[in-house]
Amino acid sequence: MSTDLVIKVGGAAGQGLQTIGVALAKTFKKSGFNVFATQFYLSRVRGGHNTFQVRVSDEPIRAMTEKVDILIALDEESIEEQIEEMTDGVIIFDNDVIKINNNTDTNNGLFFHVPMLKIAKDVCGNKIYSNSVASGAALGLMCFEFDYLAKVLTEAFKKKGEEIIDNNIKAARAGYDYARDNYPSGCKFTVSEPSEDDGRMLIAGNDAVGLGALAAGVQFLAAYPMTPSTGVMTYVAANADDFNVVVEQAEDEIAALNMVLGASFAGARAMTTTSGGGFSLMAEALGLAGITETPAVIFLSQRPGPATGLPTMTEQGDLQFVLTAAQGEFPRCVLAPGTPDDCFYLTAEAFNIADKYQIPVFVMSDQYLADSLFTCERFVPSKVTIERHLMSDEELAEKGEYKRYEITQTGISPRAIPGQAGSLVAVDSDEHNEFGHIDQTIENRILMNEKRMKKLELLREEIEPPRLYGPKDAQITLVGWGSTYGPLVEVVNTLINEGHSVNHLHFTHVFPLPVESISDVLGNSEKIVCVENNATGQFAKLLECETGVKIAEKVLRSDGKPYSPESIIRELREKEVI
């Protein structure tokens, strides 16, 4: 890897960290580099200590490392908090805003004063352009081709007119030139842009989920906004007119899922998006989906609880709740994307599973995956199939007597839509018979319960096996699900280079689990370690319960932060796994 740099922007909420970070991420992507960007932010409008990190590499990357090469410090706290992460890097700061001790390392190049406010005011007449000065200064330290940033700024401000575009470019250019002319040793980091832009895109996990829903033909989305899931709702809403989708901001999450069930009962492809306590409110409606066998896609972006917890941070702490939420027992499916590609294709798959099995299907993400930006290949919509599993009018006419909950060998009943000619589609949230009418007899209860649960075993036979990364016969297997994919892949690469025998088994299809294929893979490992962003090893418990595979060693984290490859390797060493 010839280029692997991390640029971090630190400051308080409201100082424009995201503006700087996104502009840099888009600039590097435009030049052809691989980019991974992520943010740490507190749940407040102004103040606090927030960061936005951009990692740039000429090889594929899916995780953030712990070292920082360039820190753009917008406040003093950023220097205090991040200085330990600097190795041989540079801290860009404005000495007119942040006062540092004159005896500190200004001479050895660690601290580099860039008068951002003064430059912005001198060049553009207004200090509000200081963020563009900062972006330009960072690129100046890298001797990076400036035109890429100019193009990004042009696109970013095209709705605001030529004057705003010109001022931002002038400010960025002034910051760029200042860094090139004034940094003591000239360019600190010289990088060579990839020779060709390979046409990849830069996308956040939430946007990829929204795209997947649109590709799958979603027709109705109802949700109540809740961090970090809201991005999916806003993405679908922004494109609703082009794709003929109805998006409803419900009064609360209880209403949102009930609206989805109503739309789905009427034949529309429907989904809801939520997080944390919002899903807790949906639990009763989830049971309604279970007994009425109404398809529903539920996007659940996890954040640390309980209650409000850490609403803008990340965790994988809702799995056990999702598996058992709502009263009674009924089949459900849980999918967990680990990459933007997974976000797109798994969301589309979720709709097909929901329609085929007439069950609720969860797409479980988390704040880390939802808010991070990745470079990735463009999605291929033609790979997405739309499988509705609905009865046509002709099939219904040929059938004669229609039973909504007909007992079948698979447990899946033929699904007609209310209003189709000649048939009554009856539904009851009480236990019902094949026609959908209330029936509380013991015999009927047993029949209906068995019918519903039978679908789970059929789904288990069709579910995709976990993905193996690394050699099949490795001595150590690192097990993960969801957003830990990126850090764990990098851990495997690092450890193999050090001579260790290690692989990674990643689960995107979390429930039900394909028992046989899992046993085949894990049977070759001498040591299995589960890596999860929660305090109790929720997936490890599920794996043992479903397959009998007991995982004694776990690497767990529940402080609200995502894993870095370095943090996983540290724990593996402390536990003497390696």
Side-chain angles (χ1 to χ4, degrees):
M1 190 181 287
S2 56
T3 296
D4 188 9
L5 293 171
V6 174
I7 303 172
K8 194 168 194 172
V9 189
Q15 286 193 294
L17 285 77
Q18 193 174 30
T19 303
I20 299 171
V22 170
L24 290 173
K26 288 183 175 178
T27 299
F28 294 122
K29 179 265 164 189
K30 192 173 273 297
S31 72
F33 273 115
N34 293 285
V35 175
F36 179 82
T38 190
Q39 54 185 320
F40 172 84
Y41 60 103
L42 302 173
S43 54
R44 60 184 71 175
V45 177
R46 284 195 172 275
H49 177 61
N50 305 319
T51 62
F52 193 105
Q53 282 176 273
V54 183
R55 186 181 177 195
V56 186
S57 173
D58 43 17
E59 292 189 10
I61 44 176
R62 288 277 183 272
M64 190 56 65
T65 58
E66 295 180 354
K67 62 141 190 170
V68 176
D69 298 290
I70 297 176
L71 171 65
I72 300 175
L74 301 182
D75 63 7
E76 291 180 16
E77 190 175 356
S78 297
I79 295 176
E80 294 167 5
E81 294 283 336
Q82 262 68 58
I83 195 165
E84 295 299 323
E85 298 170 349
M86 307 300 296
T87 50
D88 183 29
V90 178
I91 298 175
I92 297 174
F93 75 108
D94 187 339
N95 209 18
D96 298 329
V97 178
I98 302 171
K99 301 300 179 188
I100 65 169
N101 188 334
N102 288 332
N103 295 323
T104 52
D105 299 330
T106 50
N107 293 328
N108 67 12
L110 174 61
F111 289 95
F112 179 44
H113 162 57
V114 176
M116 302 177 211
L117 294 183
K118 184 176 185 304
I119 290 175
K121 201 168 180 180
D122 290 347
V123 174
C124 306
N126 196 322
K127 63 183 181 181
I128 64 170
Y129 296 100
S130 61
N131 286 343
S132 290
V133 177
S135 303
L139 295 184
L141 284 177
M142 300 171 67
C143 295
F144 201 84
E145 174 60 49
F146 179 78
D147 286 349
Y148 292 115
L149 177 58
K151 290 175 185 172
V152 167
L153 294 174
T154 302
E155 291 170 8
F157 295 105
K158 62 184 175 185
K159 290 183 179 176
K160 296 191 175 182
E162 288 298 322
E163 183 181 356
I164 302 296
I165 293 173
D166 290 344
N167 281 343
N168 276 286
I169 292 175
K170 280 193 297 184
R173 182 79 220 191
Y176 183 89
D177 290 341
Y178 185 91
R180 293 285 297 265
D181 296 341
N182 292 280
Y183 189 73
S185 58
C187 296
K188 173 69 176 178
F189 308 97
T190 302
V191 298
S192 299
E193 294 87 7
S195 55
E196 291 183 8
D197 183 351
D198 59 8
R200 289 170 305 157
M201 59 182 178
L202 184 70
I203 192 166
N206 269 353
D207 290 352
V209 170
L211 264 176
L214 293 171
V218 65
Q219 295 164 298
F220 180 77
L221 186 151
Y224 186 80
M226 194 165 195
T227 302
S229 69
T230 309
V232 173
M233 179 176 70
T234 54
Y235 188 90
V236 174
N239 294 280
D241 290 344
D242 294 333
F243 289 85
N244 198 25
V245 186
V246 173
V247 177
E248 174 72 18
Q249 180 175 320
E251 65 266 36
D252 57 39
E253 288 85 353
I254 302 171
L257 185 51
N258 279 312
M259 286 180 183
V260 165
L261 297 184
S264 182
F265 176 65
R269 282 208 141 175
M271 75 179 297
T272 187
T273 64
T274 192
S275 303
F279 177 64
S280 299
L281 291 176
M282 291 181 177
E284 186 179 7
L286 181 67
L288 183 62
I291 199 164
T292 61
E293 301 183 48
T294 305
V297 173
I298 301 167
F299 173 72
L300 173 57
S301 193
Q302 299 166 92
R303 64 191 211 183
T308 307
L310 300 170
T312 57
M313 299 186 199
T314 199
E315 195 168 270
Q316 295 178 307
D318 295 344
L319 177 59
Q320 292 292 339
F321 179 44
V322 163
L323 292 170
T324 57
Q327 64 278 38
E329 298 167 294
F330 55 92
R332 65 195 76 189
C333 178
V334 181
L335 308 178
T339 66
D341 307 76
D342 290 343
C343 288
F344 178 78
Y345 294 108
L346 282 184
T347 300
E349 184 183 348
F351 282 95
N352 288 342
I353 293 174
D355 271 344
K356 178 176 181 180
Y357 291 92
Q358 302 166 27
I359 58 173
V361 179
F362 293 87
V363 179
M364 290 189 73
S365 180
D366 53 47
Q367 183 271 331
Y368 183 56
L369 182 58
D371 288 340
S372 294
L373 291 168
F374 304 75
T375 44
C376 66
E377 301 292 332
R378 292 187 179 278
F379 306 140
V380 183
S382 61
K383 289 184 179 178
V384 174
T385 58
I386 299 177
E387 301 161 8
R388 294 304 320 269
H389 302 280
L390 295 172
M391 293 186 77
S392 65
D393 290 342
E394 292 74 21
E395 289 171 326
L396 199 53
E398 288 174 9
K399 196 168 185 60
E401 184 181 57
Y402 176 69
K403 300 174 185 174
R404 171 66 186 93
Y405 300 105
E406 181 180 330
I407 303 288
T408 64
Q409 213 166 22
T410 60
I412 301 171
S413 305
R415 183 173 167 225
I417 299 303
Q420 284 187 268
S423 297
L424 174 67
V425 181
V427 173
D428 197 313
S429 66
D430 283 64
E431 191 58 274
H432 44 253
N433 60 21
E434 289 181 276
F435 290 96
H437 299 307
I438 185 170
D439 185 338
Q440 297 183 328
T441 61
I442 303 301
E443 296 78 9
N444 178 70
R445 166 66 178 179
I446 293 171
L447 280 174
M448 281 295 146
N449 222 17
E450 286 180 348
K451 166 192 142 42
R452 289 190 290 267
M453 297 309 293
K454 202 182 287 184
K455 295 189 285 186
L456 188 62
E457 293 315 308
L458 179 61
L459 176 58
R460 189 190 304 279
E461 292 173 11
E462 296 184 354
I463 211 80
E464 283 189 28
R467 292 197 298 245
L468 185 69
Y469 182 81
K472 186 178 180 183
D473 57 353
Q475 294 172 346
I476 303 169
T477 295
L478 305 176
V479 171
W481 63 285
S483 70
T484 57
Y485 176 77
L488 282 171
V489 164
E490 199 156 322
V491 167
V492 169
N493 292 339
T494 303
L495 294 182
I496 286 177
N497 286 336
E498 291 179 2
H500 296 284
S501 175
V502 59
N503 61 21
H504 169 42
L505 192 64
H506 180 75
F507 290 79
T508 52
H509 294 66
V510 172
F511 184 82
L513 288 171
V515 176
E516 196 169 323
S517 59
I518 294 170
S519 300
D520 283 348
V521 178
L522 292 180
N524 295 322
S525 300
E526 294 176 12
K527 191 170 287 185
I528 305 170
V529 183
C530 196
V531 181
E532 298 186 59
N533 257 133
N534 58 55
T536 57
Q538 295 191 15
F539 182 73
K541 289 178 186 172
L542 172 65
L543 193 66
E544 181 178 355
C545 182
E546 291 280 297
T547 67
V549 175
K550 185 172 177 59
I551 300 181
E553 201 67 81
K554 303 181 189 74
V555 173
L556 304 174
R557 180 170 197 171
S558 58
D559 59 0
K561 292 187 174 181
Y563 279 109
S564 64
E566 295 97 324
S567 64
I568 296 172
I569 291 173
R570 272 198 304 272
E571 281 220 42
L572 292 175
R573 294 194 199 285
E574 286 173 8
K575 293 176 182 294
E576 300 183 344
V577 173
I578 55 174

